[in-house]
Amino acid sequence: MAARVLQQCVRSLARPSLRLCSGNPAVRAAAAPAVAIHRPLSFAADSRRTRWLGQSRVSVVGVLCRQYGDLPPLTLETIKDRVMYVLKLYDKINPEKLQTSSHFMKDLGLDSLDQVEIIMAMEDEFGFEIPDAEAEKLMTPEEIVQYIADKKDVYE
Amino acid sequence: MAISRIPPAALSLKQFLQRQRVLGIYRNMLRTIRQVPDEADRKYLTDWARAEFKRNKDATNQDAIRMMITQANNHLEELQKSLALARS
């Protein structure tokens, strides 16, 4: 969040190619620890996603404008879409019957082994591990979305 | 007369713990298989693990289940050792 604001400041500073040198070191120093604290995972996980910062122009004057790599921000909508997409790809689930409130065991007829597989697929999709104790409680897509939103600090 | 509030299909504590252990082993197995480098091997191993666990899903004898858990642990350790060797 703060990293994005700072980086927009840096980009807006980068456009007029004159008064750059004084602004940049302070901005860079302030933004670097923020990036390090907020997103330690993003550098390791999912490097196949496009870095949405990599596309911006670097100014002609050769100022070292640091491009912070980060994934696009998660929203409840995107989390829900990705969860439902992964569930639709799972061969034991009937896509027509699938809704966010459908219970894996009661409505979709899956068993606990299938539920373990589903949670593992979610771990793969979102790139972080879900511990056993909490994984066994996630029984509907809605709960999974809520859990991921809690873990990733997504508010809306 | 005291009416038991526990439904008849509920597991006893030991069975419940065993069930948790089995699910934990399944999860560890899947996580270890994820680290296998080759894609086709990974698919083969996940299908094998899935088939093994599902085949014995309905076993009720506690001792038999305990034996199967030990077997699964052995397989898991073997897999982890092979992976460690392959990586070094």
Side-chain angles (χ1 to χ4, degrees), chain A residues 36-71:
Chain A
I37 293 168
H38 279 287
R39 300 266 186 246
L41 280 178
S42 64
F43 299 111
D46 274 345
S47 54
R48 60 178 183 271
R49 307 269 166 97
T50 49
R51 306 278 167 104
W52 62 303
L53 293 168
Q55 318 302 323
S56 60
R57 297 176 284 117
V58 182
S59 79
V60 178
V61 180
V63 171
L64 298 175
C65 177
R66 187 180 292 188
Q67 312 281 325
Y68 298 107
D70 198 357
L71 297 170

PDB file of all heavy atoms in Angstrom, chain A residues 36-71:
ATOM      1  N   ALA A  36      10.167  -4.277   1.810  1.00  0.00           N
ATOM      2  CA  ALA A  36      10.719  -5.488   2.418  1.00  0.00           C
ATOM      3  C   ALA A  36       9.768  -6.056   3.456  1.00  0.00           C
ATOM      4  O   ALA A  36       9.622  -7.246   3.594  1.00  0.00           O
ATOM      5  CB  ALA A  36      12.070  -5.166   3.047  1.00  0.00           C
ATOM      6  N   ILE A  37       9.110  -5.150   4.218  1.00  0.00           N
ATOM      7  CA  ILE A  37       8.248  -5.673   5.276  1.00  0.00           C
ATOM      8  C   ILE A  37       6.947  -6.205   4.693  1.00  0.00           C
ATOM      9  O   ILE A  37       6.474  -7.265   5.053  1.00  0.00           O
ATOM     10  CB  ILE A  37       7.935  -4.551   6.293  1.00  0.00           C
ATOM     11  CG1 ILE A  37       9.211  -4.154   7.023  1.00  0.00           C
ATOM     12  CG2 ILE A  37       6.918  -5.035   7.302  1.00  0.00           C
ATOM     13  CD1 ILE A  37       9.071  -2.893   7.816  1.00  0.00           C
ATOM     14  N   HIS A  38       6.372  -5.428   3.732  1.00  0.00           N
ATOM     15  CA  HIS A  38       5.021  -5.789   3.324  1.00  0.00           C
ATOM     16  C   HIS A  38       4.975  -7.035   2.474  1.00  0.00           C
ATOM     17  O   HIS A  38       4.081  -7.835   2.611  1.00  0.00           O
ATOM     18  CB  HIS A  38       4.402  -4.633   2.523  1.00  0.00           C
ATOM     19  CG  HIS A  38       3.865  -3.565   3.407  1.00  0.00           C
ATOM     20  ND1 HIS A  38       2.722  -3.725   4.132  1.00  0.00           N
ATOM     21  CD2 HIS A  38       4.329  -2.347   3.700  1.00  0.00           C
ATOM     22  CE1 HIS A  38       2.513  -2.616   4.831  1.00  0.00           C
ATOM     23  NE2 HIS A  38       3.457  -1.779   4.589  1.00  0.00           N
ATOM     24  N   ARG A  39       5.915  -7.194   1.559  1.00  0.00           N
ATOM     25  CA  ARG A  39       5.744  -8.302   0.629  1.00  0.00           C
ATOM     26  C   ARG A  39       7.009  -9.163   0.585  1.00  0.00           C
ATOM     27  O   ARG A  39       7.681  -9.202  -0.419  1.00  0.00           O
ATOM     28  CB  ARG A  39       5.472  -7.779  -0.789  1.00  0.00           C
ATOM     29  CG  ARG A  39       4.247  -6.939  -0.892  1.00  0.00           C
ATOM     30  CD  ARG A  39       3.063  -7.781  -1.301  1.00  0.00           C
ATOM     31  NE  ARG A  39       1.904  -6.938  -1.547  1.00  0.00           N
ATOM     32  CZ  ARG A  39       0.809  -6.970  -0.808  1.00  0.00           C
ATOM     33  NH1 ARG A  39       0.736  -7.767   0.217  1.00  0.00           N
ATOM     34  NH2 ARG A  39      -0.215  -6.199  -1.088  1.00  0.00           N
ATOM     35  N   PRO A  40       7.347  -9.848   1.623  1.00  0.00           N
ATOM     36  CA  PRO A  40       8.521 -10.700   1.528  1.00  0.00           C
ATOM     37  C   PRO A  40       8.323 -11.886   0.604  1.00  0.00           C
ATOM     38  O   PRO A  40       9.257 -12.421   0.075  1.00  0.00           O
ATOM     39  CB  PRO A  40       8.736 -11.170   2.965  1.00  0.00           C
ATOM     40  CG  PRO A  40       7.413 -11.047   3.587  1.00  0.00           C
ATOM     41  CD  PRO A  40       6.749  -9.899   2.931  1.00  0.00           C
ATOM     42  N   LEU A  41       7.075 -12.302   0.414  1.00  0.00           N
ATOM     43  CA  LEU A  41       6.846 -13.519  -0.358  1.00  0.00           C
ATOM     44  C   LEU A  41       6.906 -13.273  -1.847  1.00  0.00           C
ATOM     45  O   LEU A  41       7.166 -14.156  -2.618  1.00  0.00           O
ATOM     46  CB  LEU A  41       5.468 -14.079  -0.039  1.00  0.00           C
ATOM     47  CG  LEU A  41       5.344 -14.883   1.236  1.00  0.00           C
ATOM     48  CD1 LEU A  41       3.913 -15.304   1.394  1.00  0.00           C
ATOM     49  CD2 LEU A  41       6.224 -16.094   1.187  1.00  0.00           C
ATOM     50  N   SER A  42       6.602 -12.046  -2.267  1.00  0.00           N
ATOM     51  CA  SER A  42       6.328 -11.869  -3.678  1.00  0.00           C
ATOM     52  C   SER A  42       7.554 -12.101  -4.526  1.00  0.00           C
ATOM     53  O   SER A  42       7.444 -12.459  -5.676  1.00  0.00           O
ATOM     54  CB  SER A  42       5.792 -10.472  -3.931  1.00  0.00           C
ATOM     55  OG  SER A  42       6.803  -9.552  -3.604  1.00  0.00           O
ATOM     56  N   PHE A  43       8.740 -11.937  -3.970  1.00  0.00           N
ATOM     57  CA  PHE A  43       9.914 -12.133  -4.809  1.00  0.00           C
ATOM     58  C   PHE A  43      10.153 -13.606  -5.069  1.00  0.00           C
ATOM     59  O   PHE A  43      10.637 -14.002  -6.096  1.00  0.00           O
ATOM     60  CB  PHE A  43      11.146 -11.520  -4.151  1.00  0.00           C
ATOM     61  CG  PHE A  43      10.988 -10.058  -3.949  1.00  0.00           C
ATOM     62  CD1 PHE A  43      10.861  -9.536  -2.678  1.00  0.00           C
ATOM     63  CD2 PHE A  43      10.921  -9.201  -5.030  1.00  0.00           C
ATOM     64  CE1 PHE A  43      10.689  -8.178  -2.508  1.00  0.00           C
ATOM     65  CE2 PHE A  43      10.755  -7.838  -4.847  1.00  0.00           C
ATOM     66  CZ  PHE A  43      10.637  -7.327  -3.584  1.00  0.00           C
ATOM     67  N   ALA A  44       9.813 -14.431  -4.079  1.00  0.00           N
ATOM     68  CA  ALA A  44      10.073 -15.857  -4.257  1.00  0.00           C
ATOM     69  C   ALA A  44       8.966 -16.517  -5.054  1.00  0.00           C
ATOM     70  O   ALA A  44       9.211 -17.308  -5.941  1.00  0.00           O
ATOM     71  CB  ALA A  44      10.198 -16.517  -2.895  1.00  0.00           C
ATOM     72  N   ALA A  45       7.732 -16.167  -4.743  1.00  0.00           N
ATOM     73  CA  ALA A  45       6.612 -16.917  -5.319  1.00  0.00           C
ATOM     74  C   ALA A  45       6.139 -16.284  -6.604  1.00  0.00           C
ATOM     75  O   ALA A  45       6.155 -15.073  -6.756  1.00  0.00           O
ATOM     76  CB  ALA A  45       5.455 -16.932  -4.321  1.00  0.00           C
ATOM     77  N   ASP A  46       5.682 -17.101  -7.525  1.00  0.00           N
ATOM     78  CA  ASP A  46       4.936 -16.617  -8.673  1.00  0.00           C
ATOM     79  C   ASP A  46       5.673 -15.628  -9.529  1.00  0.00           C
ATOM     80  O   ASP A  46       5.132 -14.588  -9.879  1.00  0.00           O
ATOM     81  CB  ASP A  46       3.605 -15.992  -8.215  1.00  0.00           C
ATOM     82  CG  ASP A  46       2.566 -17.098  -8.090  1.00  0.00           C
ATOM     83  OD1 ASP A  46       2.821 -18.191  -8.623  1.00  0.00           O
ATOM     84  OD2 ASP A  46       1.548 -16.856  -7.460  1.00  0.00           O
ATOM     85  N   SER A  47       6.889 -15.921  -9.855  1.00  0.00           N
ATOM     86  CA  SER A  47       7.591 -14.981 -10.712  1.00  0.00           C
ATOM     87  C   SER A  47       7.071 -15.044 -12.128  1.00  0.00           C
ATOM     88  O   SER A  47       7.457 -14.250 -12.962  1.00  0.00           O
ATOM     89  CB  SER A  47       9.073 -15.302 -10.697  1.00  0.00           C
ATOM     90  OG  SER A  47       9.260 -16.648 -11.035  1.00  0.00           O
ATOM     91  N   ARG A  48       6.173 -16.010 -12.408  1.00  0.00           N
ATOM     92  CA  ARG A  48       5.658 -16.068 -13.768  1.00  0.00           C
ATOM     93  C   ARG A  48       4.600 -14.988 -14.021  1.00  0.00           C
ATOM     94  O   ARG A  48       4.287 -14.693 -15.140  1.00  0.00           O
ATOM     95  CB  ARG A  48       5.075 -17.442 -14.052  1.00  0.00           C
ATOM     96  CG  ARG A  48       3.953 -17.786 -13.130  1.00  0.00           C
ATOM     97  CD  ARG A  48       3.402 -19.148 -13.506  1.00  0.00           C
ATOM     98  NE  ARG A  48       2.261 -19.469 -12.673  1.00  0.00           N
ATOM     99  CZ  ARG A  48       2.352 -20.095 -11.509  1.00  0.00           C
ATOM    100  NH1 ARG A  48       3.521 -20.469 -11.052  1.00  0.00           N
ATOM    101  NH2 ARG A  48       1.288 -20.358 -10.800  1.00  0.00           N
ATOM    102  N   ARG A  49       4.036 -14.414 -12.936  1.00  0.00           N
ATOM    103  CA  ARG A  49       3.056 -13.338 -13.164  1.00  0.00           C
ATOM    104  C   ARG A  49       3.771 -12.100 -13.658  1.00  0.00           C
ATOM    105  O   ARG A  49       4.896 -11.833 -13.285  1.00  0.00           O
ATOM    106  CB  ARG A  49       2.353 -12.992 -11.853  1.00  0.00           C
ATOM    107  CG  ARG A  49       1.764 -14.178 -11.162  1.00  0.00           C
ATOM    108  CD  ARG A  49       0.333 -14.413 -11.567  1.00  0.00           C
ATOM    109  NE  ARG A  49      -0.076 -15.735 -11.146  1.00  0.00           N
ATOM    110  CZ  ARG A  49      -0.742 -15.994 -10.031  1.00  0.00           C
ATOM    111  NH1 ARG A  49      -1.103 -15.014  -9.271  1.00  0.00           N
ATOM    112  NH2 ARG A  49      -1.056 -17.208  -9.677  1.00  0.00           N
ATOM    113  N   THR A  50       3.094 -11.344 -14.471  1.00  0.00           N
ATOM    114  CA  THR A  50       3.764 -10.158 -15.006  1.00  0.00           C
ATOM    115  C   THR A  50       3.956  -9.153 -13.898  1.00  0.00           C
ATOM    116  O   THR A  50       3.069  -8.915 -13.097  1.00  0.00           O
ATOM    117  CB  THR A  50       2.914  -9.506 -16.105  1.00  0.00           C
ATOM    118  OG1 THR A  50       1.594  -9.369 -15.599  1.00  0.00           O
ATOM    119  CG2 THR A  50       2.906 -10.369 -17.332  1.00  0.00           C
ATOM    120  N   ARG A  51       5.136  -8.544 -13.876  1.00  0.00           N
ATOM    121  CA  ARG A  51       5.392  -7.484 -12.915  1.00  0.00           C
ATOM    122  C   ARG A  51       4.736  -6.238 -13.469  1.00  0.00           C
ATOM    123  O   ARG A  51       5.114  -5.733 -14.510  1.00  0.00           O
ATOM    124  CB  ARG A  51       6.897  -7.255 -12.762  1.00  0.00           C
ATOM    125  CG  ARG A  51       7.658  -8.507 -12.411  1.00  0.00           C
ATOM    126  CD  ARG A  51       7.558  -8.739 -10.943  1.00  0.00           C
ATOM    127  NE  ARG A  51       7.988 -10.063 -10.548  1.00  0.00           N
ATOM    128  CZ  ARG A  51       9.132 -10.328  -9.979  1.00  0.00           C
ATOM    129  NH1 ARG A  51      10.005  -9.361  -9.782  1.00  0.00           N
ATOM    130  NH2 ARG A  51       9.446 -11.533  -9.615  1.00  0.00           N
ATOM    131  N   TRP A  52       3.762  -5.710 -12.759  1.00  0.00           N
ATOM    132  CA  TRP A  52       3.017  -4.602 -13.333  1.00  0.00           C
ATOM    133  C   TRP A  52       3.817  -3.313 -13.300  1.00  0.00           C
ATOM    134  O   TRP A  52       3.393  -2.302 -13.787  1.00  0.00           O
ATOM    135  CB  TRP A  52       1.689  -4.423 -12.616  1.00  0.00           C
ATOM    136  CG  TRP A  52       1.794  -4.086 -11.178  1.00  0.00           C
ATOM    137  CD1 TRP A  52       2.422  -4.796 -10.220  1.00  0.00           C
ATOM    138  CD2 TRP A  52       1.232  -2.953 -10.515  1.00  0.00           C
ATOM    139  NE1 TRP A  52       2.291  -4.197  -9.010  1.00  0.00           N
ATOM    140  CE2 TRP A  52       1.563  -3.061  -9.153  1.00  0.00           C
ATOM    141  CE3 TRP A  52       0.488  -1.862 -10.947  1.00  0.00           C
ATOM    142  CZ2 TRP A  52       1.165  -2.127  -8.214  1.00  0.00           C
ATOM    143  CZ3 TRP A  52       0.099  -0.934 -10.008  1.00  0.00           C
ATOM    144  CH2 TRP A  52       0.442  -1.070  -8.658  1.00  0.00           C
ATOM    145  N   LEU A  53       4.978  -3.360 -12.646  1.00  0.00           N
ATOM    146  CA  LEU A  53       5.796  -2.162 -12.647  1.00  0.00           C
ATOM    147  C   LEU A  53       6.788  -2.159 -13.779  1.00  0.00           C
ATOM    148  O   LEU A  53       7.308  -1.131 -14.145  1.00  0.00           O
ATOM    149  CB  LEU A  53       6.580  -2.079 -11.350  1.00  0.00           C
ATOM    150  CG  LEU A  53       5.693  -1.866 -10.138  1.00  0.00           C
ATOM    151  CD1 LEU A  53       6.520  -2.102  -8.919  1.00  0.00           C
ATOM    152  CD2 LEU A  53       5.175  -0.468 -10.154  1.00  0.00           C
ATOM    153  N   GLY A  54       7.093  -3.330 -14.296  1.00  0.00           N
ATOM    154  CA  GLY A  54       8.188  -3.426 -15.266  1.00  0.00           C
ATOM    155  C   GLY A  54       7.919  -2.674 -16.535  1.00  0.00           C
ATOM    156  O   GLY A  54       8.800  -2.492 -17.356  1.00  0.00           O
ATOM    157  N   GLN A  55       6.679  -2.260 -16.724  1.00  0.00           N
ATOM    158  CA  GLN A  55       6.341  -1.646 -18.004  1.00  0.00           C
ATOM    159  C   GLN A  55       6.558  -0.140 -18.018  1.00  0.00           C
ATOM    160  O   GLN A  55       6.511   0.471 -19.065  1.00  0.00           O
ATOM    161  CB  GLN A  55       4.876  -1.915 -18.348  1.00  0.00           C
ATOM    162  CG  GLN A  55       4.413  -3.329 -18.056  1.00  0.00           C
ATOM    163  CD  GLN A  55       5.225  -4.372 -18.789  1.00  0.00           C
ATOM    164  OE1 GLN A  55       5.621  -4.143 -19.914  1.00  0.00           O
ATOM    165  NE2 GLN A  55       5.493  -5.485 -18.144  1.00  0.00           N
ATOM    166  N   SER A  56       6.747   0.475 -16.868  1.00  0.00           N
ATOM    167  CA  SER A  56       6.785   1.940 -16.893  1.00  0.00           C
ATOM    168  C   SER A  56       8.097   2.437 -17.468  1.00  0.00           C
ATOM    169  O   SER A  56       9.127   1.784 -17.379  1.00  0.00           O
ATOM    170  CB  SER A  56       6.599   2.484 -15.489  1.00  0.00           C
ATOM    171  OG  SER A  56       7.631   1.993 -14.669  1.00  0.00           O
ATOM    172  N   ARG A  57       8.042   3.635 -18.070  1.00  0.00           N
ATOM    173  CA  ARG A  57       9.221   4.193 -18.720  1.00  0.00           C
ATOM    174  C   ARG A  57      10.252   4.630 -17.693  1.00  0.00           C
ATOM    175  O   ARG A  57       9.918   5.084 -16.622  1.00  0.00           O
ATOM    176  CB  ARG A  57       8.847   5.436 -19.524  1.00  0.00           C
ATOM    177  CG  ARG A  57       7.876   5.177 -20.662  1.00  0.00           C
ATOM    178  CD  ARG A  57       7.506   6.489 -21.320  1.00  0.00           C
ATOM    179  NE  ARG A  57       6.559   7.247 -20.523  1.00  0.00           N
ATOM    180  CZ  ARG A  57       6.803   8.439 -20.002  1.00  0.00           C
ATOM    181  NH1 ARG A  57       7.979   9.019 -20.187  1.00  0.00           N
ATOM    182  NH2 ARG A  57       5.900   9.082 -19.305  1.00  0.00           N
ATOM    183  N   VAL A  58      11.483   4.467 -18.035  1.00  0.00           N
ATOM    184  CA  VAL A  58      12.556   5.036 -17.213  1.00  0.00           C
ATOM    185  C   VAL A  58      12.927   6.354 -17.844  1.00  0.00           C
ATOM    186  O   VAL A  58      12.974   6.489 -19.057  1.00  0.00           O
ATOM    187  CB  VAL A  58      13.765   4.094 -17.198  1.00  0.00           C
ATOM    188  CG1 VAL A  58      14.854   4.630 -16.317  1.00  0.00           C
ATOM    189  CG2 VAL A  58      13.320   2.721 -16.723  1.00  0.00           C
ATOM    190  N   SER A  59      13.184   7.342 -17.020  1.00  0.00           N
ATOM    191  CA  SER A  59      13.398   8.670 -17.583  1.00  0.00           C
ATOM    192  C   SER A  59      14.707   8.723 -18.344  1.00  0.00           C
ATOM    193  O   SER A  59      15.623   7.931 -18.137  1.00  0.00           O
ATOM    194  CB  SER A  59      13.407   9.705 -16.473  1.00  0.00           C
ATOM    195  OG  SER A  59      14.662   9.673 -15.844  1.00  0.00           O
ATOM    196  N   VAL A  60      14.769   9.678 -19.241  1.00  0.00           N
ATOM    197  CA  VAL A  60      15.877   9.749 -20.181  1.00  0.00           C
ATOM    198  C   VAL A  60      17.162  10.175 -19.483  1.00  0.00           C
ATOM    199  O   VAL A  60      18.252   9.790 -19.870  1.00  0.00           O
ATOM    200  CB  VAL A  60      15.511  10.749 -21.296  1.00  0.00           C
ATOM    201  CG1 VAL A  60      16.649  10.908 -22.275  1.00  0.00           C
ATOM    202  CG2 VAL A  60      14.274  10.239 -22.014  1.00  0.00           C
ATOM    203  N   VAL A  61      17.023  10.960 -18.411  1.00  0.00           N
ATOM    204  CA  VAL A  61      18.212  11.558 -17.797  1.00  0.00           C
ATOM    205  C   VAL A  61      19.045  10.488 -17.105  1.00  0.00           C
ATOM    206  O   VAL A  61      20.139  10.736 -16.638  1.00  0.00           O
ATOM    207  CB  VAL A  61      17.760  12.649 -16.797  1.00  0.00           C
ATOM    208  CG1 VAL A  61      18.946  13.307 -16.140  1.00  0.00           C
ATOM    209  CG2 VAL A  61      16.936  13.669 -17.536  1.00  0.00           C
ATOM    210  N   GLY A  62      18.562   9.228 -17.008  1.00  0.00           N
ATOM    211  CA  GLY A  62      19.377   8.170 -16.410  1.00  0.00           C
ATOM    212  C   GLY A  62      19.290   8.142 -14.906  1.00  0.00           C
ATOM    213  O   GLY A  62      20.170   7.628 -14.231  1.00  0.00           O
ATOM    214  N   VAL A  63      18.236   8.693 -14.355  1.00  0.00           N
ATOM    215  CA  VAL A  63      18.080   8.621 -12.903  1.00  0.00           C
ATOM    216  C   VAL A  63      17.715   7.192 -12.530  1.00  0.00           C
ATOM    217  O   VAL A  63      16.931   6.543 -13.199  1.00  0.00           O
ATOM    218  CB  VAL A  63      16.957   9.583 -12.467  1.00  0.00           C
ATOM    219  CG1 VAL A  63      16.624   9.363 -11.020  1.00  0.00           C
ATOM    220  CG2 VAL A  63      17.371  11.001 -12.716  1.00  0.00           C
ATOM    221  N   LEU A  64      18.306   6.708 -11.458  1.00  0.00           N
ATOM    222  CA  LEU A  64      18.025   5.336 -11.058  1.00  0.00           C
ATOM    223  C   LEU A  64      16.681   5.280 -10.360  1.00  0.00           C
ATOM    224  O   LEU A  64      16.575   5.448  -9.156  1.00  0.00           O
ATOM    225  CB  LEU A  64      19.119   4.836 -10.114  1.00  0.00           C
ATOM    226  CG  LEU A  64      20.493   4.799 -10.770  1.00  0.00           C
ATOM    227  CD1 LEU A  64      21.544   4.424  -9.758  1.00  0.00           C
ATOM    228  CD2 LEU A  64      20.500   3.819 -11.935  1.00  0.00           C
ATOM    229  N   CYS A  65      15.626   5.072 -11.168  1.00  0.00           N
ATOM    230  CA  CYS A  65      14.289   4.947 -10.603  1.00  0.00           C
ATOM    231  C   CYS A  65      14.073   3.474 -10.317  1.00  0.00           C
ATOM    232  O   CYS A  65      13.951   2.671 -11.229  1.00  0.00           O
ATOM    233  CB  CYS A  65      13.282   5.495 -11.620  1.00  0.00           C
ATOM    234  SG  CYS A  65      11.600   5.321 -11.080  1.00  0.00           S
ATOM    235  N   ARG A  66      14.037   3.078  -9.066  1.00  0.00           N
ATOM    236  CA  ARG A  66      13.938   1.664  -8.742  1.00  0.00           C
ATOM    237  C   ARG A  66      12.540   1.143  -8.983  1.00  0.00           C
ATOM    238  O   ARG A  66      11.571   1.686  -8.493  1.00  0.00           O
ATOM    239  CB  ARG A  66      14.333   1.449  -7.284  1.00  0.00           C
ATOM    240  CG  ARG A  66      14.415  -0.010  -6.933  1.00  0.00           C
ATOM    241  CD  ARG A  66      14.803  -0.189  -5.525  1.00  0.00           C
ATOM    242  NE  ARG A  66      16.168   0.220  -5.272  1.00  0.00           N
ATOM    243  CZ  ARG A  66      16.803   0.011  -4.125  1.00  0.00           C
ATOM    244  NH1 ARG A  66      16.171  -0.589  -3.154  1.00  0.00           N
ATOM    245  NH2 ARG A  66      18.030   0.403  -3.937  1.00  0.00           N
ATOM    246  N   GLN A  67      12.436   0.082  -9.779  1.00  0.00           N
ATOM    247  CA  GLN A  67      11.139  -0.510 -10.064  1.00  0.00           C
ATOM    248  C   GLN A  67      10.880  -1.618  -9.055  1.00  0.00           C
ATOM    249  O   GLN A  67      11.565  -2.614  -9.044  1.00  0.00           O
ATOM    250  CB  GLN A  67      11.149  -1.103 -11.471  1.00  0.00           C
ATOM    251  CG  GLN A  67      11.696  -0.181 -12.541  1.00  0.00           C
ATOM    252  CD  GLN A  67      10.672   0.834 -12.957  1.00  0.00           C
ATOM    253  OE1 GLN A  67       9.515   0.520 -12.980  1.00  0.00           O
ATOM    254  NE2 GLN A  67      11.120   2.018 -13.288  1.00  0.00           N
ATOM    255  N   TYR A  68       9.906  -1.454  -8.197  1.00  0.00           N
ATOM    256  CA  TYR A  68       9.627  -2.480  -7.199  1.00  0.00           C
ATOM    257  C   TYR A  68       8.746  -3.549  -7.792  1.00  0.00           C
ATOM    258  O   TYR A  68       7.668  -3.249  -8.268  1.00  0.00           O
ATOM    259  CB  TYR A  68       8.934  -1.852  -5.987  1.00  0.00           C
ATOM    260  CG  TYR A  68       9.807  -0.827  -5.320  1.00  0.00           C
ATOM    261  CD1 TYR A  68       9.541   0.521  -5.426  1.00  0.00           C
ATOM    262  CD2 TYR A  68      10.923  -1.225  -4.596  1.00  0.00           C
ATOM    263  CE1 TYR A  68      10.341   1.452  -4.825  1.00  0.00           C
ATOM    264  CE2 TYR A  68      11.727  -0.294  -3.992  1.00  0.00           C
ATOM    265  CZ  TYR A  68      11.444   1.040  -4.101  1.00  0.00           C
ATOM    266  OH  TYR A  68      12.230   1.965  -3.510  1.00  0.00           O
ATOM    267  N   GLY A  69       9.220  -4.774  -7.796  1.00  0.00           N
ATOM    268  CA  GLY A  69       8.407  -5.866  -8.327  1.00  0.00           C
ATOM    269  C   GLY A  69       7.373  -6.279  -7.298  1.00  0.00           C
ATOM    270  O   GLY A  69       7.683  -6.484  -6.146  1.00  0.00           O
ATOM    271  N   ASP A  70       6.147  -6.398  -7.722  1.00  0.00           N
ATOM    272  CA  ASP A  70       5.118  -6.865  -6.797  1.00  0.00           C
ATOM    273  C   ASP A  70       3.967  -7.427  -7.610  1.00  0.00           C
ATOM    274  O   ASP A  70       3.779  -7.059  -8.770  1.00  0.00           O
ATOM    275  CB  ASP A  70       4.638  -5.697  -5.927  1.00  0.00           C
ATOM    276  CG  ASP A  70       3.925  -6.215  -4.702  1.00  0.00           C
ATOM    277  OD1 ASP A  70       3.759  -7.436  -4.573  1.00  0.00           O
ATOM    278  OD2 ASP A  70       3.525  -5.378  -3.871  1.00  0.00           O
ATOM    279  N   LEU A  71       3.186  -8.285  -6.993  1.00  0.00           N
ATOM    280  CA  LEU A  71       2.036  -8.840  -7.686  1.00  0.00           C
ATOM    281  C   LEU A  71       0.898  -7.830  -7.660  1.00  0.00           C
ATOM    282  O   LEU A  71       0.874  -6.958  -6.799  1.00  0.00           O
ATOM    283  CB  LEU A  71       1.579 -10.117  -6.976  1.00  0.00           C
ATOM    284  CG  LEU A  71       2.603 -11.236  -6.970  1.00  0.00           C
ATOM    285  CD1 LEU A  71       2.143 -12.333  -6.058  1.00  0.00           C
ATOM    286  CD2 LEU A  71       2.810 -11.750  -8.370  1.00  0.00           C
TER     287      LEU A  71
END
